[in-house]
Structures are given as structure tokens and as C-alpha cells.
Amino acid sequence: NAAYFLFILAFSGMEFSLTFFAADRFDFRTAQITQMLVFIGLVLIVTQGMIVRRLVPLLGERAVAISGLALLTAGFVALSVARDVVVLYVALALLSLGSGFATPSLTALASLLANSDRQGQAMGTFRAHGALARVLGPLLAAVVYWSVSSIAAYRSGAVIIVLSRADGVREGGSVSYLGLPIGTIDHLGIHDGKVIADVRLLRDDAE
């Protein structure tokens, strides 16, 4: 939940400020901003519809999620230093790819790690974290963007994504539910389109 919250916090802040950034730094007008947003949408469609569905069976949800967060970090850094349109679009491609990788992977892992009888509650909590981040992200981005600079806003986004990677699910890491540790992850993988995790429960160790 924390990883998803931080990811959405940073990404929603970027989405909110992007049109202002494009207008301020590149003097984009309505048509150019529209083209930029269409580009982002197309990259997301291709990423989630074609690339992720092929990568997950090969790499697993964990690796795809971590790769997505790494791409997002690079995208935020590139966006902060973009001085020409080519670098801007490279940054947008990295950010869109990263979001396309991270969103479905983190969602699948959140569902996977919840007990079957509490999956609805767990996913509700997961979605609530995302909704809260979408409210706070634009507010925080606006404060930093206009009080400090666009560079500070997007580099702060990169730092937030790094923090989300540190909180990410990993093999050998702990599994918790509602803040309580329940076991450790021995292996993450996929079978027949479903994410599979071997979890060593704490109660098994006690027995």
C-alpha cells in the first residue's frame, strides 16, 4: 500500500503540473499540449496492452513492478532537466512506460498477498491509498512547482519513487496484512496468467 501510495503521489503531481511545465518551458499551445497527452495515452495503451502481458510471464510481477519504478525514476530526472522537445518526449516515454509497468503489477501483488476471505477489504484499502495520493499529489506538486521550481518538483518526484521502490514487495521480504506481519515471501512467479507466491507463514514456523 505504501509503495502504491508513493507512486501515485508522485505521478499524479507530475500529471497535474505537466501542462503548465510544457507551456512555461517550451511555449506549448493547445494543439501541442494535446499531441503530448495523446502520446502519453498511446504509450500507456501499448505498454499495458502488449508489453506487460508478455513480460510478466517471463519476469514475474515483482520484476516488472520494480522495472516500472526504475523507469519512473529516470523519467522524473529527465523531465527535470528537459530543455528541448526531444528530451521532453524521452522523459514522457519513460514516465508512461514506468506507469504502465508499475500500475498493474502493484495491483496484482496487492491482490495476491491478501487472504482470500479479506481480499475485498485489502483491495479497498489499496484503492483508498491511491485515491488519497491523487488528492495530495497535485497539491504538493503545486506548492513545490510554484514556490521553488519545476526542477525541484520533478526531482522530488524521483526521490518519492525511490522511496516507493524501497517499500516494494521482494522475495525474502516480509508479508503483512493491515500492518501485521504474517510471513515471508520465498518466491514470486506466474502460472496460467495468475501471480503465484510461495509464502512461509509465521504460524508455520512456530509450529
Side-chain angles (χ1 to χ4, degrees), residues 79-145:
L79 190 61
S80 71
V81 300
R83 295 293 177 183
D84 59 65
V85 175
V86 173
V87 177
L88 171 65
Y89 271 85
V90 169
L92 295 178
L94 290 170
L95 289 164
S96 302
L97 281 168
S99 177
F101 279 22
T103 301
S105 303
L106 290 173
T107 302
L109 288 171
S111 175
L112 168 72
L113 296 176
N115 293 335
S116 59
D117 59 336
R118 295 183 177 178
Q119 200 165 54
Q121 180 182 358
M123 290 307 298
T125 303
F126 178 81
R127 295 296 186 188
H129 278 78
L132 178 61
R134 289 195 178 279
V135 172
L136 296 178
L139 293 175
L140 294 175
V143 170
V144 178
Y145 188 99

Side-chain angles (χ1 to χ4, degrees), residues 15-189:
E15 287 179 314
F16 170 78
S17 62
L18 184 60
T19 54
F20 300 102
F21 174 75
D24 292 342
R25 183 167 294 188
F26 300 101
D27 198 28
F28 274 16
R29 302 306 181 192
T30 301
Q32 293 163 307
I33 290 174
T34 300
Q35 292 171 357
M36 180 182 69
L37 297 177
V38 169
F39 173 78
I40 293 172
L42 289 174
V43 174
L44 282 169
I45 290 170
V46 172
T47 301
Q48 293 190 5
M50 299 176 62
I51 299 176
V52 171
R53 64 187 300 178
R54 288 172 171 78
L55 283 182
V56 168
L58 297 174
L59 304 176
E61 296 280 341
R62 168 186 170 271
V64 173
I66 291 175
S67 297
L69 296 175
L71 288 167
L72 283 161
T73 303
F76 272 106
V77 173
L79 190 61
S80 71
V81 300
R83 295 293 177 183
D84 59 65
V85 175
V86 173
V87 177
L88 171 65
Y89 271 85
V90 169
L92 295 178
L94 290 170
L95 289 164
S96 302
L97 281 168
S99 177
F101 279 22
T103 301
S105 303
L106 290 173
T107 302
L109 288 171
S111 175
L112 168 72
L113 296 176
N115 293 335
S116 59
D117 59 336
R118 295 183 177 178
Q119 200 165 54
Q121 180 182 358
M123 290 307 298
T125 303
F126 178 81
R127 295 296 186 188
H129 278 78
L132 178 61
R134 289 195 178 279
V135 172
L136 296 178
L139 293 175
L140 294 175
V143 170
V144 178
Y145 188 99
W146 279 287
S147 297
V148 187
S149 67
S150 60
I151 293 176
Y154 296 134
R155 289 187 179 175
S156 297
V159 171
I160 291 172
I161 295 297
V162 169
L163 292 175
S164 73
R165 290 178 62 191
D167 187 75
V169 176
R170 60 193 183 280
E171 292 177 6
S174 63
V175 179
S176 62
Y177 181 75
L178 300 180
L180 299 175
I182 61 173
T184 58
I185 302 171
D186 284 346
H187 174 71
L188 285 172

